[in-house]
Amino acid sequence: MVNVHYQRVINATPQVLRDTLLNHQSLSDFFNATFKVLKVENDGEVSGGVGCVREVCILGIRFKEEIVKADTDGIEYRVVDDFPVKDHRGVIRFFAQGSLTKVSYHISCCAPWYIPNWLLTRLLQNDVEQCLNKLGARFDPR
């Protein structure tokens, strides 16, 4: 099992962060991947939220992710069809701290037999850190 985790305090509210991370077409601002919405959110959900399915393309590999939770407490998503990794789940939590928000990003999954756990851990850790660092930079007033 592969587990990666990263936290960062960001100068934005949980709602603003949630809405930014659910704007799937703009996620390439934070990740080295492209995103395309294949299915919109379920009725009554926030834009890009629960039920939304997006296609992710990274390093020429395409796969689908589904949003399974989205509110001001956080966002959770899963990779559909266990490809390219099995049991992949991403959990992003928001903890309001006055005008700031502590963001915690955790990914867990099982590497396929042809990718060593250490390599997948390193790749995912880099992605998570890059995402939160770029997200933080977007809202940094300096």
Side-chain angles (χ1 to χ4, degrees), residues 52-82:
C52 180
V53 176
R54 61 193 180 196
E55 179 184 71
V56 182
C57 183
I58 186 166
L59 300 173
I61 298 170
R62 294 182 187 281
F63 57 94
K64 296 175 191 169
E65 292 180 342
E66 178 184 19
I67 305 300
V68 296
K69 178 186 183 297
D71 57 30
T72 54
D73 292 331
I75 299 168
E76 294 182 24
Y77 63 92
R78 70 179 187 91
V79 170
V80 178
D81 299 327
D82 284 335

Side-chain angles (χ1 to χ4, degrees), residues 121-134:
T121 298
R122 176 179 253 172
L123 293 171
L124 291 174
Q125 187 70 43
N126 286 343
D127 280 352
V128 167
E129 290 181 18
Q130 172 185 290
C131 172
L132 291 190
N133 289 339
K134 285 184 174 184

Side-chain angles (χ1 to χ4, degrees), residues 4-98:
V4 299
H5 182 254
Y6 187 63
Q7 293 183 19
R8 179 170 172 141
V9 175
I10 298 177
N11 187 20
T13 66
Q15 183 175 344
V16 166
L17 294 169
R18 178 203 64 199
D19 293 348
T20 300
L21 292 172
L22 291 178
N23 182 358
H24 306 291
Q25 290 82 0
S26 296
L27 285 178
S28 58
D29 293 350
F30 309 110
F31 295 95
N32 291 325
T34 58
F35 297 81
K36 177 183 171 187
V37 173
L38 302 177
K39 178 187 172 294
V40 298
E41 68 280 349
N42 296 340
D43 289 343
E45 295 293 336
V46 297
S47 180
V50 175
C52 180
V53 176
R54 61 193 180 196
E55 179 184 71
V56 182
C57 183
I58 186 166
L59 300 173
I61 298 170
R62 294 182 187 281
F63 57 94
K64 296 175 191 169
E65 292 180 342
E66 178 184 19
I67 305 300
V68 296
K69 178 186 183 297
D71 57 30
T72 54
D73 292 331
I75 299 168
E76 294 182 24
Y77 63 92
R78 70 179 187 91
V79 170
V80 178
D81 299 327
D82 284 335
F83 177 81
V85 295
K86 293 183 187 287
D87 301 320
H88 182 285
R89 191 146 189 108
V91 178
I92 304 167
R93 293 277 181 249
F94 306 126
F95 304 95
Q97 299 177 334

